[in-house]
Amino acid sequence: MSLSPYWLRDNCPCDGCRDPRNGQKLFQITDLPENLAAVETTEADGQLAVLWSDGHRSRYPLEWLDRAGAGDGRTEQGKRLWQAADFAHGLPEAQWSAYLADPAEQAAVLSAVRRSGFALLRGVPEAEGQVLKVAETFGYVRETNYGKLFDVRVEADPNNLAFTSAAIAPHTDNPYRDPVPTLQLLHCLRNESDGGDSGLVDGFRAAALLRAESPGDFAVLTRTPVPFVFRDRSTELSAEQPLIGVDALGRIREIRFNNRSIGTLRGLTTAELDAFYAAYRRFAAITLRPELQLDFRLGPGDCLIFDNVRLLHARTAFEQQGSRHLQGCYADLDSLAGTLAVLDRRAAALDEIEGLFEGEGAGEYLGEAVTMAQHMLQAGALAEAAGAPDHLVAAALLHDIGHFDGTGTELMQGRDNRHSHTGADWLARWFGPGVTEPVRLHVAAKRYLCTAEPGYRERLSAASEYTLQVQGGPMDAEQAAAFAALPGAADAVALRRWDEQAKDAGAATPPFAHFRPLLWRVFA
Amino acid sequence: MSLSPYWLRDNCPCDGCRDPRNGQKLFQITDLPENLAAVETTEADGQLAVLWSDGHRSRYPLEWLDRAGAGDGRTEQGKRLWQAADFAHGLPEAQWSAYLADPAEQAAVLSAVRRSGFALLRGVPEAEGQVLKVAETFGYVRETNYGKLFDVRVEADPNNLAFTSAAIAPHTDNPYRDPVPTLQLLHCLRNESDGGDSGLVDGFRAAALLRAESPGDFAVLTRTPVPFVFRDRSTELSAEQPLIGVDALGRIREIRFNNRSIGTLRGLTTAELDAFYAAYRRFAAITLRPELQLDFRLGPGDCLIFDNVRLLHARTAFEQQGSRHLQGCYADLDSLAGTLAVLDRRAAALDEIEGLFEGEGAGEYLGEAVTMAQHMLQAGALAEAAGAPDHLVAAALLHDIGHFDGTGTELMQGRDNRHSHTGADWLARWFGPGVTEPVRLHVAAKRYLCTAEPGYRERLSAASEYTLQVQGGPMDAEQAAAFAALPGAADAVALRRWDEQAKDAGAATPPFAHFRPLLWRVFA
């Protein structure tokens, strides 16, 4: 196996090379010596162990070595380039209420924006300013000279043709900004006029068609910086970017297309200008092909979310006097993609935890009459019945997750597996201290209660009395006072009591799925 | 002269091709016919007149044809690439109070950020949240996962090494965002610890050095997309961009440099990875050259504004227990450049107006005993003395600007030059309706007062009585009622009274400069 040594070393996952709290690298690339080499490599237990020429040792999971790059999902690669007919059976859409209530529905909407460049939310309350709340469900509003939000309706003294009743051909917004807002939201409050329909064109598809039909024109548009300008009394913006932006590997990544605000190209020869305009006209003609434009009509309560560096949007003219009122705002794709990644990661975490409950959780629980999974589900149910806050119900449900690595038997053989710490650390990948600290302290809480509460120790089960000894026995007075002062101590004591009760072989036990909505709330 | 026909036509400045209100183009490039050609071109009066093959006629100022492109000022071109010694005589800095009070000072600060990549404001109030107010003086705050603003101080559970006391090598922030925030502000509230000094490195300079010393390495870094990643419990961000971004013409445009958050490069051969890491190490070594790093220490009340896609920032380690507290936020270069352009444009407008007062304004004022400039300065002074609001003082000062095209004599020869409309339209390039509408209506106000106010007409000067006839004579009752209902009518009547009084050859007349601060306030 021939691996690039600096690449491999730069990815060393050890705690000395990366901060375990945030995964950030703790060394500079220049800290590595010249002529770094792996002097010894060994494969064992699914790991590649490397001894480096500077004495450092690294271990890499073998499956990690072969992993493919995910990319950032912003180029044409992995997107669904479309034409209108592809949506003959319906648009990517969801009800606002379902989007809010169900993380899977939210993920589907955000995923559609990422893959197809747009999605439509229906039934969004027809309230002014609501569009900002939609944006805040996945990211941050990008304020511009048009405000945090802008009203799209006929204005007496418009500084932009958007604020008239004129037809507007397919275009992207704000090309004169750099960074350009990468997302746009348009929320319809009223649309009672004749006309004023909406259209979307996949600019990546249009650019890919240009590349296929006329590669020379495509190349011209990717390499000619175009000045975009906007001026009004209090604003003067300019940005110089090509109409078709490609990444370093030539993949289509960004479209800027807005004839209204193209400024004057300068510094090119007449032949270069002729070539640019020929290519521009050909590309513009492609964007106007009827088969590319998806037409629909926004009705009250509809909110369109779309990729403003990919999709071109258009509207038909409408009667001057008809009542049409949209509110819009800008936001950015990076946060949307990040929110989607976190939703996916959390769904995967819940699946993984549910898998543990169904797999290892079915195992014996330290000699008690219930399985580990039954014990934890009962503890969660007891917390819920007691009206505990969500984070504490979650802690009760998950408190013994540290046993799930099969080390429970070690504990019964007299070795403290410190399962409360193992569990808390494992949960900290997803949950905050409101969940992890009661889990971390629930063993200490037993040792505390043995000291602080007369009669408590006598009520312990035989197994629990045994493990008490392994875990260090009752606290002394000083230890107990220190414990009581810890954040999460009160929650840990409450958890401990449900823990003691949750060993009833005859009790009805809710399934794990019962707790999923609660766990989603705790994530948020 | 050989001009590209579509280029020339796309830039036609006529009112049919461009909306005169906002300069936006009213046609699509595809609206132009195939094989468009100029069938007749004529140069006269400094204009090129073109008759097009589709019958359209365009006129272009000859000086416009030869104008060079300004670019958007974002590439290395036109910037001052620096090393530390270039600031041996001081940093680009200003007092916060001067920055707020004097538009020229504000322009100097913003211009320094644009040219050198940074500037320092001193004496910024040491209040929490103040950094947001600094950003709002030139643009919009960009909210991220770190909040609208972030506190840079030692945190118990840091999700980023910035929030520890560790030394941090030169880097750019948020490379895992796309769009990356292009500006950063850091406002010092306290810095009492040992260490915690700041450093800045011009990344454009470092990249230019790499290009000069090792062109192959430079090329590798411009064409290798690098994955940047950030993950914490509730965030997962990734962006794939090269360390050195160049524009379509190969000019350095954007630096992303942050070893802490470089992820795992995938999909490259071992040779490509070796080449990337060799180039990356060489570039990193250049950024660490002591002669490149400008060191200074932020003290309480200092606010550093810097270009986050050009400058690398660093800080030395500091004592854990020392009190160091900065607040930061992100913003964007496009708005900063736009604010600077508007400041420059407004300064030029005031210079132009002052030039008119000193030039044409020195001419005879329609037979009165004062010059036009004296008349207008007196009108402004009277409005000011009467405690009129700024916009109305400005209107009084500028009300006869429409005479300054030398057409006043036309009026005296019996042709209405409609100078109130000419003036209002000319002023509308810079001023809102609060200024323009009283100017527009000040002639009508005379015709109104002759009807509405007994004895008013008798007090008119002889010249004013003469022009009254040319302008249409007194209004009838219906006209007067319609006038009184117009927005700005009351202001126009007030202006009219100062207009009548401002013909006193013996009165002290303030210079134009006296009104400049007021005109700046009206702009804002």
Side-chain angles (χ1 to χ4, degrees), chain B residues 170-439:
Chain B
H171 67 284
T172 64
D173 266 21
N174 275 249
Y176 37 77
R177 282 204 172 270
D178 190 0
V180 62
T182 51
L183 277 176
Q184 184 171 171
L185 288 82
L186 284 172
H187 177 218
C188 180
L189 297 174
R190 275 192 313 283
N191 194 2
E192 291 152 16
S193 48
D194 263 2
D197 291 356
S198 301
L200 289 174
V201 174
D202 184 353
F204 279 17
R205 173 67 170 247
L209 285 169
L210 180 69
R211 181 173 54 197
E213 296 171 10
S214 185
D217 285 328
F218 178 84
V220 165
L221 295 190
T222 61
R223 72 169 179 241
T224 309
V226 174
F228 290 95
V229 294
F230 178 82
R231 256 180 97 106
D232 68 13
R233 227 167 9 238
S234 55
T235 313
E236 179 153 346
L237 293 162
S238 67
E240 224 175 54
Q241 290 285 359
L243 297 188
I244 302 174
V246 293
D247 77 352
L249 305 178
R251 297 173 297 193
I252 300 164
R253 190 178 173 95
E254 190 172 299
I255 303 294
R256 295 199 187 208
F257 193 85
N258 192 320
N259 189 62
R260 278 176 288 150
S261 51
I262 284 192
T264 303
L265 282 84
R266 299 282 187 183
L268 300 181
T269 65
T270 300
E272 287 168 336
L273 288 170
D274 285 344
F276 170 78
Y277 270 93
Y280 172 27
R281 280 167 55 79
R282 184 160 288 144
F283 184 43
I286 292 174
T287 68
L288 295 176
R289 289 182 188 167
E291 69 269 26
L292 289 198
Q293 183 162 324
L294 179 67
D295 293 306
F296 55 97
R297 186 176 173 82
L298 290 178
D302 291 344
C303 183
L304 178 66
I305 307 169
F306 63 96
D307 181 339
N308 186 52
V309 286
R310 174 179 169 195
L311 262 53
L312 284 57
H313 63 292
R315 72 145 190 253
T316 60
F318 57 95
E319 300 169 77
Q320 182 84 244
Q321 295 315 322
S323 181
R324 183 177 191 269
H325 185 193
L326 311 185
Q327 286 193 319
C329 71
Y330 298 111
D332 283 303
L333 279 165
D334 52 4
S335 289
L336 181 144
T339 301
L340 177 59
V342 169
L343 286 172
D344 287 348
R345 193 213 297 172
R346 287 173 176 172
L350 294 189
D351 290 346
E352 185 180 347
I353 294 171
E354 185 159 9
L356 287 173
F357 272 74
E358 287 167 359
E360 293 177 88
E364 188 199 6
Y365 174 45
L366 309 183
E368 303 284 356
V370 289
T371 66
M372 286 194 284
Q374 285 171 328
H375 168 63
M376 288 162 69
L377 291 164
Q378 286 184 12
L382 287 163
E384 196 173 33
D390 286 347
H391 72 90
L392 190 49
V393 175
L397 175 72
L398 302 170
H399 74 279
D400 273 346
I401 202 96
H403 279 319
F404 279 11
D405 60 354
T407 56
T409 47
E410 284 184 31
L411 184 61
M412 294 312 285
Q413 288 161 8
R415 290 189 299 275
D416 183 3
N417 65 358
R418 295 178 54 80
H419 76 282
S420 59
H421 291 275
T422 313
D425 290 345
W426 190 81
L427 292 169
R429 291 194 288 166
W430 304 300
F431 296 99
V435 175
T436 59
E437 295 321 287
V439 171

Side-chain angles (χ1 to χ4, degrees), chain A residues 2-7 10-11 18-19 21-30 32-34 64-69 71-72 74 140 142-145 148 156-161 164 169-170 176-180 182 222-225 230-242 247-249 251 253 257 259-266 270 273-274 277 280-281 284-285 288 332-335 337-338 341-342 345-346 428-433, chain B residues 2-7 10-11 18-19 21-30 32-34 64-69 71-72 74 140 142-145 148 156-161 164 169-170 176-180 182 222-225 230-242 247-249 251 253 257 259-266 270 273-274 277 280-281 284-285 288 332-335 337-339 341-342 345-346 428-433:
Chain A
S2 161
L3 293 169
S4 170
Y6 288 101
W7 173 80
D10 195 34
N11 285 289
R18 282 179 181 272
D19 190 310
R21 295 168 297 192
N22 50 49
Q24 292 195 302
K25 238 165 265 187
L26 294 168
F27 64 97
Q28 294 299 308
I29 197 69
T30 43
L32 302 181
E34 289 293 319
W64 174 89
L65 287 172
D66 295 328
R67 233 179 263 174
D72 63 2
R74 293 284 281 274
Y140 307 102
R142 179 99 80 85
E143 190 174 357
T144 70
N145 51 302
K148 262 180 103 68
D157 181 22
N159 70 344
N160 191 302
L161 292 177
T164 68
Y176 37 77
R177 284 207 171 267
D178 190 1
V180 63
T182 51
T222 62
R223 71 169 181 242
T224 308
F230 178 83
R231 256 179 98 106
D232 68 13
R233 227 164 15 235
S234 56
T235 312
E236 180 153 346
L237 294 162
S238 66
E240 224 175 54
Q241 290 285 2
D247 77 353
L249 305 179
R251 296 173 296 193
R253 190 178 173 95
F257 192 86
N259 188 64
R260 278 175 289 151
S261 52
I262 285 192
T264 303
L265 283 84
R266 300 281 189 183
T270 300
L273 288 171
D274 285 344
Y277 271 93
Y280 172 26
R281 279 167 55 80
L288 294 177
D332 282 304
L333 279 165
D334 52 5
S335 290
V342 169
R345 193 214 296 169
R346 288 175 176 171
R429 292 193 289 166
W430 304 300
F431 295 100
Chain B
S2 162
L3 292 169
S4 170
Y6 287 101
W7 173 79
D10 195 34
N11 286 288
R18 282 177 181 275
D19 190 313
R21 295 168 297 193
N22 50 48
Q24 292 194 303
K25 238 164 263 184
L26 294 169
F27 63 97
Q28 295 298 309
I29 198 67
T30 42
L32 302 180
E34 289 294 319
W64 174 89
L65 287 173
D66 295 328
R67 235 179 260 172
D72 63 2
R74 291 283 281 276
Y140 306 101
R142 178 99 79 88
E143 190 173 358
T144 70
N145 50 304
K148 260 180 102 71
D157 180 24
N159 71 342
N160 192 301
L161 292 176
T164 69
Y176 37 77
R177 282 204 172 270
D178 190 0
V180 62
T182 51
T222 61
R223 72 169 179 241
T224 309
F230 178 82
R231 256 180 97 106
D232 68 13
R233 227 167 9 238
S234 55
T235 313
E236 179 153 346
L237 293 162
S238 67
E240 224 175 54
Q241 290 285 359
D247 77 352
L249 305 178
R251 297 173 297 193
R253 190 178 173 95
F257 193 85
N259 189 62
R260 278 176 288 150
S261 51
I262 284 192
T264 303
L265 282 84
R266 299 282 187 183
T270 300
L273 288 170
D274 285 344
Y277 270 93
Y280 172 27
R281 280 167 55 79
L288 295 176
D332 283 303
L333 279 165
D334 52 4
S335 289
T339 301
V342 169
R345 193 213 297 172
R346 287 173 176 172
R429 291 194 288 166
W430 304 300
F431 296 99

Side-chain angles (χ1 to χ4, degrees), chain A residues 383 387-394 491 498 518:
Chain A
D390 286 346
H391 71 91
L392 190 49
V393 176
D491 279 351
W498 297 314
L518 177 142

